[in-house]
Amino acid sequence: AQSVTQLGSHVSVSEGALVLLRCNYSSSVPPYLFWYVQYPNQGLQLLLKYTSAATLVKGINGFEAEFKKSETSFHLTKPSAHMSDAAEYFCAVSDDMVTGGGNKLTFGTGTQLKVEL
Amino acid sequence: SQTIHQWPATLVQPVGSPLSLECTVEGTSNPNLYWYRQAAGRGLQLLFYSVGIGQISSEVPQNLSASRPQDRQFILSSKKLLLSDSGFYLCAWSAGNTIYFGEGSWLTVV
């Protein structure tokens, strides 16, 4: 069975500071890993994904994440936080395939990012 | 390009009333479709997925059902809502190994 743990339900950073959101996964097979962002009262937007290619994945809005198999981690980072980054971030793992393609995601419980002036 | 729409965006329903949330996908054919529910502090839970017309798989036992009457239409229903059905419901579709989400529907059962 697959699972995701996001350490810290709330993270607060100053504008311009490094953003680090932690995600650890458990999977019995090589996983696909995803980060999604959710702004208030909206759906989830894909930030980036790891699908067994390069271990350092670059996404939208200046975010990136590094897949570390030895640590079973997929932490999300951004060098310099912006006020517009304030949102909830979800890490997700998939090692279950739906017949005919696609996949079933298991989500973490989310990390609310607050950016302060 | 592909787009996904779901409606209504917000719904307030009394306990015991029926529910119908609709989702449509445009710009793709034969997508895999999903319904997720998001409860506060609990992340997202997969409720149903569908790999084709009339093919529905349920992930958790519950008071809800899903149907796929057309290739790009996915409907979430209930005959009698419970208070515990309140939450944010997200429709999604997948292309390959990536899932894309709709705007979500807020359901409050009172």
Side-chain angles (χ1 to χ4, degrees):
Chain A
Q2 56 193 12
S3 65
V4 173
T5 302
Q6 290 185 242
L7 295 176
S9 59
H10 293 80
V11 170
S12 183
V13 300
S14 299
E15 190 174 35
L18 171 71
V19 175
L20 171 61
L21 304 181
R22 299 178 185 275
C23 173
N24 288 89
Y25 70 91
S26 172
S27 175
S28 57
V29 299
Y32 295 148
L33 293 160
F34 305 81
W35 275 100
Y36 287 85
V37 59
Q38 184 178 33
Y39 298 100
N41 298 317
Q42 295 185 24
L44 274 70
Q45 181 182 5
L46 180 68
L47 268 181
L48 50 80
K49 61 181 180 180
Y50 167 77
T51 56
S52 74
T55 56
L56 181 62
V57 181
K58 294 187 183 297
I60 62 172
N61 302 338
F63 284 93
E64 61 183 36
E66 186 172 8
F67 171 69
K68 292 186 177 181
K69 183 178 179 180
S70 61
E71 300 177 7
T72 60
S73 69
F74 190 57
H75 301 331
L76 181 70
T77 60
K78 182 175 181 177
S80 177
H82 192 272
M83 296 296 289
S84 61
D85 294 327
E88 189 156 23
Y89 292 80
F90 291 93
C91 182
V93 63
S94 173
D95 62 7
D96 282 341
M97 294 302 294
V98 170
T99 302
N103 57 3
K104 293 188 285 183
L105 293 177
T106 297
F107 284 85
T109 52
T111 298
Q112 186 71 43
L113 175 65
K114 182 179 180 181
V115 182
E116 300 174 319
L117 288 173
Chain B
S1 63
Q2 300 88 358
T3 57
I4 179 170
H5 302 286
Q6 63 177 102
W7 68 93
T10 306
L11 199 58
V12 180
Q13 292 287 100
V15 170
S17 65
L19 170 73
S20 180
L21 298 179
E22 293 196 32
C23 172
T24 59
V25 180
E26 298 175 359
T28 186
S29 59
N30 196 31
N32 291 322
L33 298 173
Y34 310 80
W35 278 109
Y36 281 83
R37 177 168 59 198
Q38 184 177 21
R42 297 182 60 185
L44 284 87
Q45 181 183 39
L46 178 62
L47 301 176
F48 301 95
Y49 68 89
S50 172
V51 299
I53 295 174
Q55 300 179 63
I56 309 295
S57 296
S58 175
E59 288 294 293
V60 293
Q62 58 204 314
N63 185 43
L64 302 168
S65 62
S67 61
R68 186 171 177 173
Q70 300 180 44
D71 180 45
R72 290 170 291 171
Q73 183 185 24
F74 205 25
I75 299 172
L76 183 69
S77 304
S78 174
K79 292 182 179 178
K80 290 185 178 181
L81 285 168
L82 305 172
L83 286 174
S84 58
D85 292 325
S86 293
F88 191 48
Y89 290 83
L90 290 153
C91 182
W93 70 280
S94 67
N97 53 36
T98 304
I99 292 182
Y100 300 93
F101 287 85
E103 308 93 343
S105 298
W106 275 108
L107 171 64
T108 303
V109 182
V110 296

